[in-house]
Amino acid sequence: EAQVTQNPRYLITVTGKKLTVTCSQNMNHEYMSWYRQDPGLGLRQIYYSMNVEVTDKGDVPEGYKVSRKEKRNFPLILESPSPNQTSLYFCASSLSFSGDGETQYFGPGTRLLVL
Amino acid sequence: GQQLNQSPQSMFIQEGEDVSMNCTSSSIFNTWLWYKQDPGEGPVLLIALYKAGELTSNGRLTAQFGITRKDSFLNISASIPSDVGIYFCAGQPYAGNMLTFGGGTRLMVKP
């Protein structure tokens, strides 16, 4: 089954404790991205990747890092989480970055609480 | 980044009623998309619009790409309980660019 998976689905952590949220897709998609969803703000893009070893900042990259060493994986790293990073995070992928509204497939989400 | 204003923020309607929601922007978009997010899930694409003035249907859903390219609306006819969820509009300024999402419309349907 074609899908985007994220782990963990739920995470409670404390300020400053490094964490990684994994994202994996099995559709051989080139384009992957991370969003955070906050009430009333919709989804805001954190980072995106057009292909292996090619990443770039989205609208809200501060406090986050990403890597794209393999095509299928795109982990999101919080080196020193802070309470304002408490949010619902979504990973998404699409076949390419060619645009024209190409369908982005979203993962199930990771709910993060930073105390 | 760019902002999309989506309204209303929430709606509570009776089953069988029609629903309308819209998004507006101060700048032009090349593509408009409408997504639905079910509780505990990620957004799923409902309708994609590629040309100004385009009107597209998907079952009971109808969406239009505004003629000015700065707005779009989504209509749901004869709502049913499974329509419950959060609906997001998203715009793409030009081919190859990132999506900008609206704030979402939370729809609640009373049986």
Side-chain angles (χ1 to χ4, degrees):
Chain A
E1 180 190 351
Q3 60 183 353
V4 179
T5 57
Q6 296 177 226
N7 280 293
R9 294 290 311 276
Y10 303 92
L11 180 60
I12 301 175
T13 189
V14 295
T15 298
K17 186 176 180 183
K18 180 179 178 180
L19 66 91
T20 299
V21 184
T22 65
C23 173
S24 182
Q25 49 89 9
N26 62 0
M27 296 170 278
N28 202 36
H29 284 172
E30 290 183 350
Y31 181 79
M32 297 184 75
S33 65
W34 276 102
Y35 295 87
R36 60 177 289 173
Q37 181 181 1
D38 302 290
L41 297 177
L43 285 84
R44 293 177 294 168
Q45 193 171 53
I46 301 170
Y47 268 94
Y48 65 95
S49 169
M50 290 186 280
N51 214 324
V52 176
E53 302 291 2
V54 181
T55 64
D56 209 346
K57 297 177 180 178
D59 290 326
V60 288
E62 293 77 21
Y64 305 95
K65 285 173 58 176
V66 293
S67 69
R68 188 91 183 273
K69 293 184 171 54
E70 309 163 276
K71 200 171 190 178
R72 65 182 292 126
N73 296 322
F74 190 45
L76 179 69
I77 303 154
L78 285 72
E79 293 272 3
S80 182
S82 61
N84 64 12
Q85 292 178 296
T86 292
S87 188
L88 177 59
Y89 291 87
F90 288 101
C91 179
S93 74
S94 62
L95 189 60
S96 70
F97 192 55
S98 62
D100 292 339
E102 185 150 338
T103 300
Q104 287 198 40
Y105 294 86
F106 284 82
T110 295
R111 190 169 290 279
L112 172 65
L113 172 62
V114 183
L115 300 173
Chain B
Q2 296 169 327
Q3 294 280 329
L4 284 186
N5 298 310
Q6 185 172 349
S7 64
Q9 285 190 335
S10 63
M11 303 178 73
F12 188 71
I13 63 169
Q14 192 77 35
E15 181 177 1
E17 289 183 358
D18 295 343
V19 172
S20 185
M21 60 192 78
N22 69 82
C23 271
T24 60
S25 170
S26 57
S27 53
I28 288 173
F29 282 94
N30 193 51
T31 302
W32 283 95
L33 306 168
W34 284 92
Y35 286 84
K36 183 194 178 194
Q37 183 181 22
D38 289 323
E41 304 287 335
V44 173
L45 184 65
L46 297 173
I47 292 178
L49 302 159
Y50 303 110
K51 291 192 295 188
E54 180 180 356
L55 185 72
T56 297
S57 293
N58 178 6
R60 293 178 295 107
L61 277 61
T62 301
Q64 183 155 31
F65 192 143
I67 198 72
T68 65
R69 300 171 70 187
K70 293 182 179 181
D71 63 323
S72 177
F73 72 74
L74 174 71
N75 285 345
I76 305 173
S77 62
S79 58
I80 58 178
S82 63
D83 289 335
V84 164
I86 304 176
Y87 292 79
F88 290 101
C89 63
Q92 193 170 37
Y94 52 86
N97 206 328
M98 301 181 297
L99 290 179
T100 297
F101 282 83
T105 296
R106 183 179 295 274
L107 178 63
M108 293 159 279
V109 180
K110 184 178 179 182

